[in-house]
């Protein structure tokens, strides 16, 4: 019998960086006994991203952060939109360069993630934020 | 009772830039009385993108455009594929750096967008185009 | 009558570059007689991407590859995560700059792809790999 369900995850961030919430998603799937279907996650913000990345070596996250900080420089004189701080326009650009929604099959009660894949909110602002992620499941 | 529906949006562009069509999507949802489910949008082109971005300050769109124009330069001597104009290969690269499909939950008859999120076609060619976006809804 | 189905595609790569597998996806849809619904593809790796791009002129793929090789340089001294080779951290970054999942409507028994759109695994490592893509279909 097909069914669908909705949820909102809240991820607290403490400045720029990657915040994993794979476990929260996995727990929601288990608590609802979803067996097979499609999970969709949508981040409701324009200055942070959703990212699937390696969750083994923390150096990977540090290098990602440093690469993006160099590619999209805070305070770049190119930017006109500066009223919300010199890290705001870079945050919008980093969001455009990545994505705000993900779709992952659920099979045999488990997310079809690879061995090293984790689900992250990537905070692009320097200040702490509470980031809301809308979740949707459809399946059996 | 589950159902699905299809539609094709057509977005007319007048050169590079972001063209919002959130209202067209919202009207399609309302006209069909979709209450809860999943909306998917797929852009059927390789030199434009779909983007969710801030729809408040127009300077954000201008800064996005200027940043990408500097990151991927028209007429870069690196490019071999130049027969369709010096803005064509940059358009393909800009598309690869962004995305052509979006998935957004619909809950309580409304798209689960954040307060400041709008849905855009990002035109990467200088000439006007008619961009087709395939839409799919599944739910109740 | 709604139904869903799962599959895993395996794409063999021989170093960096774009490997098209649109035909494999099309054959799976035809073999199962899917008429209308939603196809989702999820790549289970963190150093390769899924990409929809032009499948006409092979120069487009070469230019994409060369642009990304210049944007994210192998052996960049910025990187700390180097234990798996100087092309490993660039592979993670290239993955972050693109995406690992795609959602495409199926209508009238056909994928809603544009005329020039093909579906690719983009291999970011220099060595050959076997890349697994989880597929999910829901619809009629």
């Amino acid at each position: 019998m097909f069914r669908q369900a909705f949820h909102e995850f809240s991820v607290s961030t403490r400045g720029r960086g990657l915040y994993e919430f794979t476990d929260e998603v996995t727990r929601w799937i288990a608590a609802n006994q979803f067996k097979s279907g499609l999970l969709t996650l949508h981040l409701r913000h324009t200055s942070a991203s959703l990212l699937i990345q390696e969750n083994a070596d923390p150096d990977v996250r540090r290098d990602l952060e440093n690469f993006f900080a160099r590619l999209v420089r805070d305070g770049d004189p190119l930017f006109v939109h500066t009223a919300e701080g010199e890290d705001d326009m870079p945050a919008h650009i980093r969001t455009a360069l990545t994505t705000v929604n993900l779709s992952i099959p659920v099979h045999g009660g488990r997310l079809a993630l690879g061995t090293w894949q984790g689900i992250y909110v990537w905070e692009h602002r320097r200040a702490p934020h509470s980031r809301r992620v809308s979740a949707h499941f459809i399946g059996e």
Side-chain angles (χ1 to χ4, degrees), chain A residues 93-135:
Chain A
I93 291 172
R94 288 157 65 130
T95 302
L97 285 168
T98 51
T99 190
V100 294
N101 42 86
L102 301 175
S103 295
I104 309 168
V106 175
H107 196 33
R110 298 166 61 95
L111 280 169
L113 290 174
T115 311
W116 309 110
Q117 287 183 320
I119 307 172
Y120 295 86
V121 166
W122 193 349
E123 177 60 66
H124 299 310
R125 299 300 308 268
R126 291 183 191 158
H129 283 80
S130 176
R131 298 304 193 173
R132 292 170 301 141
V133 180
S134 287

